[in-house]
Amino acid sequence: MFIKIWKLSTSLESEQIAAANKEDDEILFRNLLQQGEYLHSKTNLPVETYEKGGLNNLLTYKGFATPPIIDGYAVQSLEKLISEFVEFVPLTHPEYKCYAVNIVNVINECVNYSESIPDDFGGFEKLSFIEDKVKRQPIFRIKYTEHSLGDFPIISPEIYVSDAFREVVFENGLTGFTFYEVWSSQEEEASVEELNPFVRESLDEDVEAHLQAYYGPIIRRVEAESAEVTEAGFYEMAPTESVPFYTVATHGYSTLRLPTPPGLDSAYVELVMHADQDPFEDEKYSWIPQVMHQVGNFAINHMNWIGQWMVFPNQELDRYVDTYERTLAGEKVKFPLHVKPYSPESGFCGVMVVPPLPQCQEAFTMSYLENGKEIDGEWPVYFHTLLPLYEEEMEYYFQHGQEALLEKMMENGIEHLFNLHRPNTFKEKRKGFFGRFNK
């Protein structure tokens, strides 16, 4: 039976805490992060909120994944599996109880150096383990001596966990935990990461040929605000007889590979929207590229997936994150949504990811080309279309599902949905939230 090792990380949107005084900050950070030793003498350290965020089961210490800060439910869920490998250090917060997880299980010389690739900072670009040393270890850090900075011992700040740890997290619905596969004992011909690297840039001429083949002639290119790989620019295509809209597509988000659910290849993503007027010339439509940046930047900066039929309301960031995580977990979204219109003229308060217009179906995916040729195993770029929604339409979606919403919205045809002057599907809403859709 093969095993997998995962690196434990945390959601960037989780609440950040810090020690309430410098002395305790030193103990909490330096000892827990660097030493891997028991802290018998210091418990109930006073802590405070460093930066507000989501109250997940896994919080962060000033934005760092180490040491993990978890709540009582997470302790209860994980204690049986990891209690002999960690120390739960009680912390005292003015508003809630939480615990720092001191990982005392530091495994010495468990790195398979011959198959690992060191980076320039004392860590590893690629990490391989000695199987006998890491199996049956649910959570651990590593101590190693062969690295780019010399031959002295380093204890990694990174925390590694087993499949068993990850399964407990999922089975108990713990939030705020993020996992990245680091190593598998099973040999594979080529990993997804090797075939589809984290950074992969399509040639401009390939993208432009794809867009013009399915949407219309390019009339504008808007460069990204900076050269950072997390920034995106835009292409704009003119209306045609086949596609009677101005079409705007992002250019740049697909440079980074986003995480995807198992079995899906939709990791490289660009976004598309349609408008009946030029959004770069008419101020009433200037919200369109802003919305595309909002959705794309959130996914790129937080390494989140964008998939078909997902809905992204225009909410404050903490509510936006909560809605996203509940949607992905199949949980009920909190009401009221507390959304706001993109502009006074539009009334739209969110977007849904939908397939392309029927006449643009082949625009949905673009093969990645290397020297003009497709490479077997390379994932395509997905061009996800964003459909603007009214608040009541999103509420109906979260209550009754995508199919029920589309059945009501499709009464006037597909192209009608992309008319930015279309009426609200539920404009005759009744008073009170629960009476809105009982027509």
Side-chain angles (χ1 to χ4, degrees):
M1 179 179 177
F2 72 93
I3 62 173
K4 286 184 178 180
I5 300 297
W6 306 79
K7 184 173 76 171
L8 174 64
S9 188
T10 182
S11 168
L12 294 175
E13 301 309 319
S14 293
E15 178 147 304
Q16 300 180 25
I17 71 166
N21 61 65
K22 187 175 181 181
E23 178 185 352
D24 285 342
D25 190 272
E26 191 80 3
I27 291 171
L28 183 64
F29 184 74
R30 177 169 293 179
N31 288 7
L32 290 177
L33 178 62
Q34 298 181 11
Q35 303 303 320
E37 300 174 355
Y38 283 97
L39 299 179
H40 299 293
S41 61
K42 200 73 175 177
T43 58
N44 290 307
L45 296 175
V47 296
E48 60 190 9
T49 299
Y50 182 74
E51 185 173 317
K52 280 195 171 294
L55 290 178
N56 293 316
N57 301 117
L58 175 62
L59 306 177
T60 80
Y61 180 76
K62 292 185 175 179
F64 294 97
T66 304
I69 310 295
I70 62 177
D71 66 4
Y73 178 62
V75 171
Q76 179 184 340
S77 303
L78 294 165
E79 189 171 20
K80 183 177 179 180
L81 177 67
I82 68 173
S83 59
E84 65 179 285
F85 303 96
V86 306
E87 177 187 26
F88 296 110
V89 180
L91 307 175
T92 303
H93 189 281
E95 299 175 14
Y96 49 81
K97 187 70 176 175
C98 54
Y99 302 80
V101 183
N102 181 17
I103 290 73
V104 295
N105 185 30
V106 179
I107 305 178
N108 188 36
E109 298 295 7
C110 61
V111 176
N112 182 345
Y113 295 116
S114 64
E115 295 184 6
S116 300
I117 301 174
D119 60 24
D120 295 330
F121 312 104
F124 294 92
E125 185 177 316
K126 176 187 176 184
L127 188 56
S128 178
F129 290 107
I130 299 170
E131 183 175 351
D132 287 342
K133 290 199 172 187
V134 297
K135 65 183 179 182
R136 292 186 292 276
Q137 304 290 326
I139 186 168
F140 61 94
R141 287 161 60 197
I142 62 176
K143 187 176 182 179
Y144 52 94
T145 54
E146 294 187 25
H147 48 81
S148 61
L149 303 181
D151 57 3
F152 54 88
I154 290 179
I155 297 177
S156 70
E158 290 85 5
I159 299 168
Y160 301 100
V161 299
S162 65
D163 276 330
F165 181 99
R166 189 166 172 264
E167 287 168 8
V168 169
V169 168
F170 291 151
E171 287 171 1
N172 289 275
L174 299 181
T175 57
F177 290 78
T178 304
F179 302 95
Y180 299 97
E181 183 179 339
V182 173
W183 175 77
S184 171
S185 61
Q186 183 183 48
E187 292 187 5
E188 300 177 355
E189 292 182 3
S191 69
V192 167
E193 287 77 11
E194 289 171 329
L195 288 172
N196 299 283
F198 181 62
V199 177
R200 188 194 75 177
E201 190 169 5
S202 298
L203 294 177
D204 289 352
E205 49 263 42
D206 293 335
V207 176
E208 291 168 3
H210 179 82
L211 294 174
Q212 294 190 108
Y214 301 110
Y215 290 119
I218 293 173
I219 57 173
R220 188 189 312 271
R221 174 170 175 170
V222 180
E223 298 294 341
E225 292 182 359
S226 77
E228 296 292 328
V229 293
T230 55
E231 294 288 339
F234 297 99
Y235 282 110
E236 182 182 19
M237 281 64 70
T240 65
E241 186 176 347
S242 173
V243 185
F245 302 102
Y246 287 90
T247 301
V248 180
T250 61
H251 177 46
Y253 289 133
S254 61
T255 299
L256 295 183
R257 187 190 72 238
L258 298 177
T260 61
L264 297 182
D265 63 358
S266 52
Y268 301 102
V269 169
E270 298 291 355
L271 304 174
V272 174
M273 289 189 75
H274 300 290
D276 50 10
Q277 298 295 327
D278 187 338
F280 295 100
E281 295 289 341
D282 191 328
E283 287 189 6
K284 292 181 179 179
Y285 297 84
S286 62
W287 56 271
I288 288 177
Q290 294 170 15
V291 171
M292 299 172 78
H293 264 164
Q294 180 191 69
V295 175
N297 288 353
F298 175 77
I300 291 295
N301 291 323
H302 299 86
M303 282 288 104
N304 286 327
W305 179 58
I306 298 178
Q308 285 289 288
W309 308 117
M310 295 181 72
V311 166
F312 296 93
N314 187 28
Q315 300 169 303
E316 296 295 333
L317 183 59
D318 57 343
R319 291 184 178 276
Y320 190 92
V321 171
D322 182 74
T323 299
Y324 173 85
E325 292 181 346
R326 287 174 180 272
T327 301
L328 216 57
E331 300 175 358
K332 290 185 177 179
V333 169
K334 290 181 179 179
F335 292 107
L337 292 175
H338 291 293
V339 293
K340 52 187 178 182
Y342 293 124
S343 75
E345 295 84 8
S346 76
F348 292 114
C349 302
V351 291
M352 179 165 60
V353 183
V354 298
L357 288 164
Q359 62 268 41
C360 306
Q361 283 184 0
E362 293 185 40
F364 189 33
T365 60
M366 181 189 80
S367 299
Y368 176 75
L369 303 179
E370 198 168 289
N371 297 322
K373 297 181 179 178
E374 292 186 33
I375 306 298
D376 188 38
E378 287 271 14
W379 287 354
V381 174
Y382 278 76
F383 286 83
H384 285 304
T385 301
L386 302 182
L387 175 68
L389 298 179
Y390 292 102
E391 179 178 1
E392 293 76 22
E393 292 169 344
M394 287 187 291
E395 289 173 348
Y396 193 88
Y397 166 92
F398 287 123
Q399 284 190 88
H400 302 286
Q402 155 247 323
E403 290 186 8
L405 173 62
L406 289 179
E407 184 178 347
K408 289 187 173 293
M409 294 181 65
M410 289 278 288
E411 292 176 357
N412 294 314
I414 292 178
E415 286 197 7
H416 170 75
L417 298 181
F418 292 92
N419 178 356
L420 298 184
H421 302 285
R422 69 176 179 84
N424 186 333
T425 307
F426 304 100
K427 61 181 178 180
E428 297 177 6
K429 60 183 182 180
R430 296 184 179 180
K431 291 183 180 180
F433 176 75
F434 292 103
R436 289 186 180 183
F437 310 117
N438 299 321
K439 295 195 245 180

